[in-house]
C-alpha cells in the first residue's frame, strides 16, 4: 500500500513539475516575442512618441477669449 501511494504521489509531482516547465517556457517565449515586437516598432519609427516631439496640426485654430472652447 505504501509503495502504491509513493508511486502515485511521485507521478503526480513529476506531472506538475513538467507542466510548470512547459508553462515557464511558453511565458519566456511570449516575453521574447513581446520584446522583439517592441524593438521592431522602435526601429521602424512607430513606437512611443513623446509630447514634445508631436508636430502641430494646421487644422487647429485658437478660439476667441469669449468662446466656450480654447481650441477648435
Amino acid at each position: 500500500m505504501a509503495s502504491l501511494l509513493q508511486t502515485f504521489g511521485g507521478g503526480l509531482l513529476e506531472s506538475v513539475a513538467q507542466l510548470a516547465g512547459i508553462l515557464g517556457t511558453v511565458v519566456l517565449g511570449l516575453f521574447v516575442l513581446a520584446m522583439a515586437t517592441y524593438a521592431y516598432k522602435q526601429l521602424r519609427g512607430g513606437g512611443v512618441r513623446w509630447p514634445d516631439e508631436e508636430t502641430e496640426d494646421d487644422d487647429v485654430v485658437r478660439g476667441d477669449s469669449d468662446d466656450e472652447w480654447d481650441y477648435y
Side-chain angles (χ1 to χ4, degrees), residues 7 11-12 19-20 22 28 32-33 41 45 48-49 55 62 64 66 71:
T7 303
L12 182 63
L19 183 62
I22 291 169
L28 180 63
V32 169
L33 180 65
K41 282 185 177 182
V48 176
R49 295 181 187 223
T55 59
R62 188 175 189 84
D64 292 335
D66 59 341
Y71 296 96

Side-chain angles (χ1 to χ4, degrees), residues 5-62:
L5 202 58
Q6 186 179 17
T7 303
F8 178 71
L12 182 63
L13 288 177
E14 270 187 44
S15 297
V16 170
Q18 287 177 351
L19 183 62
I22 291 169
L23 289 177
T25 303
V26 169
V27 168
L28 180 63
L30 290 174
F31 178 74
V32 169
L33 180 65
M35 292 301 293
T37 303
Y38 179 76
Y40 176 77
K41 282 185 177 182
Q42 289 298 319
L43 291 174
R44 298 292 292 168
V48 176
R49 295 181 187 223
W50 299 103
D52 58 346
E53 293 177 357
E54 295 284 330
T55 59
E56 300 247 350
D57 290 335
D58 293 334
D59 298 332
V60 177
V61 179
R62 188 175 189 84

